[in-house]
Amino acid sequence: MATAPISRRLNLTRDQLALFLEDQQQIRQFELLFSTLDGIANQNVNAGEVYAGPASGTATPPTFRALVQSDIPSQALTRTNDTNVTLTLGGNPTNALLAAVSLTLAWAGQLSVARGGTGQNSFTNGQLLIGNSTGNTLTKATLTQGANITITNSAGAITIAVSGLGSMAFQNTGASGSFTTVDLKTVTVVNGIITTII
């Protein structure tokens, strides 16, 4: 049996291939395969090119060419916005990925004063947010009652009342009466006008 040219890939002659292949057709297929591989290995290839069939149109033998977008199946990048958080997807998100990805936006943590929030996440009855120049923040605080003033804090409400004024009723026009101040002075009012302080 004549000896065929030696394959540069396997360094095997036809006789050597025949030792483990069943027939001449298989031997021929192996020779064609490695001949093709040798031909590919000897081609000049530009950077970024791949060995592939045509990107579109009629089927033809593969060649070295640049990848095009249709070579790679694409999936979309999508997003679900939160009420106060929105995300704008730039570029071409409908075919940006190899596998589909979805982003769901939501609040995380407490929104700071610098970002338009309060910086607080819990309150007790009667607490108010008061501007604080230290750090330009908001501080929780309650009203402080003073002499003859009572403050009652309840859920969603603050009640301020006057106390210790004796028989006098300030809510009535032309009220008369007297009361004692914190420094033990007696104030007399006649027809809504303070007449004496003793």
Side-chain angles (χ1 to χ4, degrees), residues 3-179:
T3 302
I6 297 175
S7 168
R8 286 177 290 175
R9 286 287 179 180
L10 292 180
N11 284 329
L12 296 176
T13 65
R14 178 182 289 268
D15 292 338
Q16 291 169 325
L17 285 173
L19 294 176
F20 61 90
L21 297 178
E22 295 181 359
D23 55 43
Q24 295 300 314
Q25 184 61 29
Q26 290 180 337
I27 295 174
R28 179 57 180 159
Q29 292 299 319
F30 262 81
E31 289 176 344
L32 289 175
L33 171 62
F34 291 114
S35 175
T36 301
L37 292 176
D38 287 343
I40 293 173
N42 291 328
Q43 290 190 44
N44 293 324
V45 182
N46 295 322
E49 290 185 333
V50 296
Y51 189 68
S56 61
T58 306
T60 59
T63 58
F64 282 101
R65 63 173 177 79
L67 281 173
V68 295
Q69 185 172 352
S70 60
D71 287 324
I72 304 173
S74 60
Q75 298 294 328
L77 171 64
T78 59
R79 53 92 176 94
T80 301
N81 288 327
D82 185 70
T83 302
N84 295 306
V85 181
T86 59
L87 179 66
T88 300
L89 302 177
N92 190 6
T94 56
N95 55 7
L97 305 172
L98 293 176
V101 174
S102 176
L103 305 175
T104 300
L105 308 183
W107 287 115
Q110 185 66 35
L111 194 62
S112 67
V113 174
R115 292 183 175 273
T118 64
Q120 307 292 340
N121 58 12
S122 64
F123 295 89
T124 59
N125 290 344
Q127 281 189 322
L128 302 173
L129 289 175
I130 309 298
N132 187 340
S133 61
T134 302
N136 193 32
T137 59
L138 294 172
T139 300
K140 294 180 290 186
T142 55
L143 297 178
T144 302
Q145 62 188 24
N148 300 316
I149 301 293
T150 60
I151 296 176
T152 304
N153 296 315
S154 58
I158 300 173
T159 301
I160 302 175
V162 178
S163 63
L165 297 183
S167 61
M168 183 176 171
F170 280 110
Q171 67 270 27
N172 297 324
T173 302
S176 299
S178 63
F179 61 90

